Every structure is written in C-alpha cells, then in structure tokens.
C-alpha cells in the first residue's frame, strides 16, 4: 500500500555502484542514495546511518519499519514514548515523523525521518538500509533522539526490541550523527 502526505519531499537520488560478481566480473546495480528530510531551522540535530540487515528480505524489513512507524498492534516507542506516524510507504522507502515531549507551552518536539531499502545482490535474506532523522525544532544536543528515532524502527529481539511482523539482525554504521549513544531502550 502507499500513503502520501502533501508537502513532504520524498525525492531520492540515484547512484551507480560497481560491485564484484561471484566470479570476479564487475556488475552495475542501482542503489537509492540517502537523502535526509529537510529541517525547518538552520540549527538542528540530525542522524544518518547505514544498516546491514541479515535474515530478512528488504520487503520484510520495510514492512517491519512501516508497521512500527504506524505503531501497529500496540507497538510502543521504547525511547521516551514518542508517537510515530507515516508520511509515505513505497516499495523502496518509508518516511514519517515522531512527536515527543514538550517544546514550550503544549508543543511537542517534531522529528522527520526517511528510510530506504536496497537488496544485496541476489541474496533474499540481506538488505542494505539507509536511515536519517532530522529535528524540526531548534536543537543542538538531542541526547541521541534522532539516532533512536530510526534505530527503534529496525532493531531486533537480539537488541532487546519487540518486532511486530519480522525479526532480523542488523549492524549499524553511523554516517553523520550529532549524538549516537546506545540508550534507545530507556
């Protein structure tokens, strides 16, 4: 299914990578490049990561991310009880937002996140994920909130998380984060 919200920019760029084939021949494949959501303010926290997933197809990983992003089946955000919602869910990406806490008189903190999924060769049990979360409020120190915004959408049981549809393992590589302490489950 696809959900679209007016005014949200879900444009992605394309890159071409050359990877070695099984017999050493070079093959070209298309990979969706990570484009972080736009920020409302020039001074803002953000986090982008690359994730190597094993034990699930990209479709399964995307469905799990979308299920948590829509907070299905009573899923609860383990990092300060934020409220997730989806902007879009396509065959290669999921985008959304997370609200939490208070930023003044009854105004919540708002973060937007984008996550893309790229199959790894012909292996149906591996997926490359690129994820980015950007604070929409003026912020410098976010206590790893932007990191946790995306990590909590794909972490597995081995990490102490509660999957809704599919469980898998992942290895996260930080690309650009203001803070990324592993404090996402408290």
């Amino acid at each position: 299914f696809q959900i679209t919200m007016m005014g949200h920019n879900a444009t992605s760029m394309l890159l071409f990578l050359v990877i070695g084939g099984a017999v050493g021949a070079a093959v070209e494949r298309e990979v969706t490049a990570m484009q972080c959501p736009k920020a409302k303010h020039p001074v803002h926290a953000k986090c982008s990561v690359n994730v190597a997933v094993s034990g699930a197809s990209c479709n399964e990983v995307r469905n799990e991310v979308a299920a948590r992003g829509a907070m299905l089946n009573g899923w609860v955000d383990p990092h300060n009880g934020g409220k997730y919602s989806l902007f879009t869910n396509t065959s290669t990406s999921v985008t959304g937002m997370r609200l939490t806490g208070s930023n003044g008189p009854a105004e919540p903190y708002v973060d937007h996140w984008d996550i893309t999924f790229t199959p790894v060769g012909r292996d149906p049990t591996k997926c490359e994920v690129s994820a980015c979360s950007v604070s929409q409020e003026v912020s410098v120190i976010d206590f790893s909130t932007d990191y946790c915004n995306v990590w909590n959408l794909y972490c597995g049981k081995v990490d102490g998380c509660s999957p809704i549809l599919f469980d898998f393992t992942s290895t996260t590589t930080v690309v650009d984060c203001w803070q990324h302490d592993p404090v996402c489950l408290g």
Side-chain angles (χ1 to χ4, degrees), residues 8-15 30-37 48-53 57-59 61-63 65-66 88-96 113-120 126-133 150 153-154 175:
H8 182 73
N9 182 358
T11 306
S12 62
M13 304 178 315
L14 296 179
L15 294 175
E30 193 175 292
V31 176
T32 305
M34 185 73 248
Q35 182 173 344
C36 291
S48 61
V49 297
N50 288 329
V51 185
V53 173
S57 69
C58 279
N59 193 46
V61 177
R62 182 185 53 78
N63 285 334
V65 166
T88 64
N89 179 5
T90 71
S91 63
T92 59
S93 69
V94 178
T95 66
W113 49 268
D114 289 3
I115 302 178
T116 60
F117 311 88
T118 305
V120 177
K126 293 188 178 177
C127 182
E128 294 175 0
V129 177
S130 295
C132 187
S133 177
V150 294
L153 294 173
Y154 64 79
V175 175

Side-chain angles (χ1 to χ4, degrees), residues 13 22 27 38-39 44 61 66-67 96 101 103 117 132 151 166 171 183-184:
M13 304 178 315
V27 295
K38 294 186 182 201
H44 61 275
V61 177
N103 183 27
F117 311 88
C132 187
W151 186 85
F166 301 100
T171 303
V183 296
C184 299

Side-chain angles (χ1 to χ4, degrees), residues 141-155:
I141 298 175
D142 74 346
F143 302 100
S144 300
T145 295
D146 282 303
Y147 176 79
C148 295
N149 285 348
V150 294
W151 186 85
N152 284 327
L153 294 173
Y154 64 79
C155 57

Side-chain angles (χ1 to χ4, degrees), residues 3 10 12 46 52 57 76 82 90 93 106 110 134 136 138 148 160 163 174 178:
I3 303 168
S12 62
K46 76 172 193 170
S57 69
V76 176
T90 71
S93 69
V110 178
V134 176
Q136 298 301 302
V138 175
C148 295
V174 172
W178 291 62

